Amino acid sequence: MVAPSKKALITGGAVGGTALAVVGVLAFSLLPSPPEIESAPNADHPLCADLARNYPRRLLDEDRTEAKGEGVAVWGDSAVVLRCGMKPPKPTTDLCLNVNGVDWVLRSDSSSEGENEGGGKSKKTLLTYGRDPAVEVTVTAEAMTAAGDTLVDLGDAVRAIPQKAKCV
């Protein structure tokens, strides 16, 4: 058996090290990047910072994931997206629900069941009523069956923003 030359060992080590570095870079680039969600118009409102300190760690058995965008929180694979800093809704005939002392309006412009126009998942959007700034919560249709649980779990955080009006 012939022993490998010093040059062969160095070349082999360099090739192996390069391959390892390439695999590491590829693995890192394949990691999902945080979703980039557009911030609400008034996301820099101080009450949104108070709210953010109380976001639940888990919703619908999903961990809160990192998201780009001020005043934004995301759980799971964007099953639930919260944006603080929305303009409060005016009085409306849209369905309004009181969940543990927090009024939520189901936006009439929410996507219907099935695929939406952009080809993505269908979503429902709820907006706090009587709080300024308002908090918007978007829930995928799959998670909508447990939306009540989501609103209950978000209630403690949302109550950091005082309620000034109630649904009629």
Side-chain angles (χ1 to χ4, degrees):
M1 181 174 203
V2 177
S5 70
K6 193 174 186 180
K7 184 177 180 182
L9 286 173
I10 292 172
T11 302
V15 169
T18 302
L20 186 59
V22 168
V23 168
V25 167
L26 284 174
F28 183 74
S29 67
L30 295 176
L31 289 175
S33 60
E36 194 163 333
I37 310 292
E38 183 179 342
S39 295
N42 298 312
D44 60 347
H45 194 288
L47 288 174
C48 288
D50 291 345
L51 173 71
R53 283 190 277 282
N54 295 308
Y55 290 153
R57 189 181 69 73
R58 291 182 60 83
L59 277 178
L60 302 177
D61 292 325
E62 298 281 356
D63 288 326
R64 190 174 70 233
T65 56
E66 185 179 333
K68 294 180 182 178
E70 189 173 5
V72 173
V74 176
W75 288 267
D77 187 22
S78 297
V80 179
V81 175
L82 178 148
R83 296 190 316 150
C84 182
M86 298 298 290
K87 184 178 177 183
K90 295 184 183 321
T92 179
T93 57
D94 291 344
L95 177 63
C96 189
L97 312 162
N98 182 290
V99 180
N100 288 355
V102 177
D103 289 342
W104 297 92
V105 174
L106 179 62
R107 303 294 294 267
S108 62
D109 59 351
S110 293
S111 300
S112 59
E113 291 188 32
E115 298 283 317
N116 64 21
E117 291 176 19
K121 294 180 179 177
S122 175
K123 299 179 180 190
K124 300 291 182 184
T125 303
L126 297 122
L127 188 65
T128 55
Y129 186 83
R131 296 173 193 270
D132 189 6
V135 175
E136 176 187 80
V137 175
T138 305
V139 182
T140 61
E142 294 81 19
M144 194 63 188
T145 57
D149 294 339
T150 299
L151 299 180
V152 167
D153 292 344
L154 288 173
D156 288 339
V158 170
R159 281 192 282 279
I161 301 172
Q163 186 165 353
K164 299 175 182 174
K166 295 181 181 240
C167 290
V168 188

